[in-house]
Amino acid sequence: MILNDLRQADPVLWRRCIFHILEGEDYFFMPGTVLTYLRDLGSDLYVHRCLERLERGDVGPVGNHELISYLELFKPSGYAGALKEHYRREVIRSDEMNPRPHDAVTFLALLLLLEAGDAWAWSELEERISQGRVPLLDDDIIFPRSHSEKGGASFFMSAAACASTNAVRMLADWYALVRATPTTSRWRRSNSLQAFLLGIMEAIDRASTIGELARLRAAADYVDARWLSHVSEDVESRLSMSDWSAGALLEFINRERIGAVHTERDLFEWTCDALDRLAEGFEKRAEAVAGFWDDQHPKQETDCQNVLWPLLRKELQSAGLVATIDDEIPIREGYCDLLIQRPMGEGRPLRVILELKVAHAGYGERELIDRLEEQLVERYMLPTGARHGAFVVLWFKCDRYDYPAAWSDKAAFEAALQDRRRSVGERCPVTLASYVLDMTTRWRGQRKVLKDARERRTPKTKAREGAARVAGKTRAASKTTPASQPREGASTRRSRGS
């Protein structure tokens, strides 16, 4: 703030103060902070002097990282040469002290040389990878500014432009070292580093990247190497159509999927993916829909659970997902409908909790919407520490079962449920998905079932159904949203929130 005020009042005095702070021996400001200030200001006032100091090793109290970060912004003439001198000097110094993977600032200089198109940097990187002297965790590396900034693909393109012929293979070997390093806690992660390496590999040659991932998977040098097929599929999905032969494309479409799970969010996404596939089968092909009906009425919730949960297990297992799936798990005073867990060694297992509701006659907002917060979130998720959950409602309203009467159709109910899901997501530290699974698609042989059911209906049954319809409409009238507050339009089958 003081320097900004001085810059406005007296630019000449401001310049003198900057140089005095960075060059002098008495420091009223930390010199590195002042250099960072110039960088953020976008001022090249000190760039040539900075280049000289880095090349000579005259770092002083400014700090290597601050000097390199400042030069990285402007990339003046001679920048690559100064970086190489600095890198060699630091490598020799650290090797004399203790041969080890060099610090993050020294390695940043090597990455910036790759970006600058220095062929020597690629051979140096290859040697370091062969010796295992490369960063293996996110905390061990400082990413270049061109990668860290939003939309930072420029680093990948610049590094790929002058990559050596075996660059993809050596980077794949580095990637394998990273994946083989155990991430024993949330502070020892490597997700960003993995994405960084894959980004460079794809920028060099996407097809070769797929081949190298297949090589690593076949070698299986570390636990969970088989999950590389999931990574490979993600890369393959970005190949242009011209890169595919007809046979290779058909093989990719029909390939077995492998469920890679590293975080609770991954487990949540795979669970949602399985529910999406089930929903498509219910709605388009009436797969297993008959199992949820009892003549012309939905089955009870527990009976529906016994049909749905095996189907969900099968979908998760088809993706190769390593997880345990249990139903009716006691939590405090109640039982959650389904708990999906992924063991994580000695740490707390990853968890996703599902709650199922059946849209019965007489049910309204209390039973089908309020339960999302009161039951799924407050009773089951928060007490167990789970931060991801799904609320699933089975929908039966159609020409043969006109319930629940509180909503005119499935779209109206979905809109109300999504409103509540978004509201809960804003107030609670959880990520939720809501599903309305359509059970109204007619299945093979249903006409005979319906005819037999109509013949068995008694006057007492008809009277009970009429009473339920009247009760539902009365409840709906008391909950009607005012016309001055229109709801959002119709939604998709499933929605997720953060």
Side-chain angles (χ1 to χ4, degrees), residues 157-360:
M157 304 310 298
S158 299
C162 298
S164 60
T165 54
N166 64 334
V168 174
R169 175 167 283 256
M170 76 167 79
L171 290 170
D173 291 338
W174 182 6
Y175 181 79
L177 291 174
V178 172
R179 291 291 297 264
T181 303
T183 54
T184 55
S185 72
R186 61 187 177 128
W187 293 282
R188 289 175 55 82
R189 296 293 185 189
S190 60
N191 295 350
S192 297
L193 180 53
Q194 291 177 37
F196 177 71
L197 294 175
L198 288 173
I200 305 176
M201 293 165 64
E202 283 195 65
I204 296 171
D205 189 334
R206 186 166 286 149
S208 295
T209 299
I210 296 168
E212 288 301 320
L213 291 175
R215 174 179 67 87
L216 296 180
R217 185 187 177 200
D221 291 332
Y222 57 91
V223 178
D224 294 335
R226 68 192 186 93
W227 281 351
L228 281 177
S229 65
H230 176 70
V231 178
S232 182
E233 284 183 1
D234 187 48
V235 176
E236 288 177 357
S237 68
R238 291 189 287 275
L239 280 173
S240 64
M241 291 301 297
S242 60
D243 295 327
W244 290 97
S245 66
L249 181 59
L250 185 61
E251 180 184 359
F252 172 66
I253 294 172
N254 293 318
R255 183 180 304 156
E256 178 185 4
R257 295 170 298 116
I258 298 295
V261 176
H262 304 292
T263 66
E264 194 168 275
R265 179 76 190 196
D266 293 338
L267 184 61
F268 173 71
E269 291 292 342
W270 277 104
T271 302
C272 291
D273 182 68
L275 287 169
D276 282 333
R277 292 195 300 274
L278 286 177
E280 182 180 7
F282 294 151
E283 296 180 20
K284 294 185 178 180
R285 298 178 294 277
E287 294 174 354
V289 167
F292 295 92
W293 285 85
D294 185 3
D295 290 337
Q296 289 188 301
H297 303 273
K299 289 183 177 180
Q300 295 301 310
E301 184 176 308
T302 53
D303 296 327
C304 290
Q305 290 175 11
N306 292 333
V307 178
L308 182 61
W309 295 160
L311 296 174
L312 183 59
R313 284 192 181 93
K314 183 178 178 180
E315 288 294 338
L316 293 175
Q317 290 168 359
S318 72
L321 191 69
V322 181
T324 59
I325 306 176
D326 300 300
D327 55 8
E328 291 295 328
I329 302 301
I331 299 177
R332 288 191 172 182
E333 306 87 18
Y335 292 82
C336 75
D337 289 341
L338 186 70
L339 176 64
I340 301 175
Q341 294 193 102
R342 167 78 163 93
M344 295 299 289
E346 297 180 357
R348 185 181 71 84
L350 308 178
R351 293 170 174 170
V352 175
I353 294 179
L354 273 66
E355 180 64 22
L356 177 70
K357 295 297 174 187
V358 177
H360 282 298

Side-chain angles (χ1 to χ4, degrees), residues 16-207:
R16 287 172 54 193
C17 285
I18 293 291
F19 272 86
H20 179 75
I21 294 170
L22 293 174
E23 302 283 345
E25 297 182 358
D26 298 324
Y27 306 108
F28 298 99
F29 297 85
M30 290 296 294
T33 303
V34 174
L35 203 56
T36 301
Y37 159 74
L38 289 178
R39 185 196 66 191
D40 295 342
L41 190 64
S43 170
D44 62 355
L45 174 65
Y46 199 71
V47 69
H48 296 296
R49 178 68 181 128
C50 184
L51 188 65
E52 294 173 2
R53 291 182 64 170
L54 184 67
E55 196 166 16
R56 295 202 317 265
D58 179 20
V59 177
V62 175
N64 285 325
H65 188 204
E66 287 75 11
L67 287 174
I68 292 174
S69 297
Y70 183 61
L71 289 173
E72 183 187 359
L73 178 62
F74 298 101
K75 296 181 174 60
S77 176
Y79 160 72
L83 281 174
K84 188 180 295 186
E85 287 300 317
H86 164 78
Y87 175 82
R88 286 172 168 165
R89 183 171 54 250
E90 290 298 309
V91 167
I92 292 173
R93 182 182 65 81
S94 61
D95 282 352
E96 289 175 348
M97 296 173 60
N98 180 26
R100 57 179 174 77
H102 307 121
D103 64 37
V105 177
T106 303
F107 200 83
L108 173 62
L110 184 60
L111 292 177
L112 293 175
L113 285 170
L114 296 178
E115 183 183 27
D118 191 294
W120 171 86
W122 281 104
S123 61
E124 172 69 8
L125 178 62
E126 182 177 16
E127 182 177 354
R128 292 186 63 155
I129 293 173
S130 66
Q131 298 171 352
R133 303 172 71 190
V134 286
L136 301 178
L137 297 168
D138 291 346
D139 288 344
D140 297 337
I141 190 170
I142 299 173
F143 295 111
R145 185 184 182 94
S146 56
H147 170 71
S148 302
E149 293 176 338
K150 186 177 181 181
S154 62
F155 174 85
F156 298 147
M157 304 310 298
S158 299
C162 298
S164 60
T165 54
N166 64 334
V168 174
R169 175 167 283 256
M170 76 167 79
L171 290 170
D173 291 338
W174 182 6
Y175 181 79
L177 291 174
V178 172
R179 291 291 297 264
T181 303
T183 54
T184 55
S185 72
R186 61 187 177 128
W187 293 282
R188 289 175 55 82
R189 296 293 185 189
S190 60
N191 295 350
S192 297
L193 180 53
Q194 291 177 37
F196 177 71
L197 294 175
L198 288 173
I200 305 176
M201 293 165 64
E202 283 195 65
I204 296 171
D205 189 334
R206 186 166 286 149

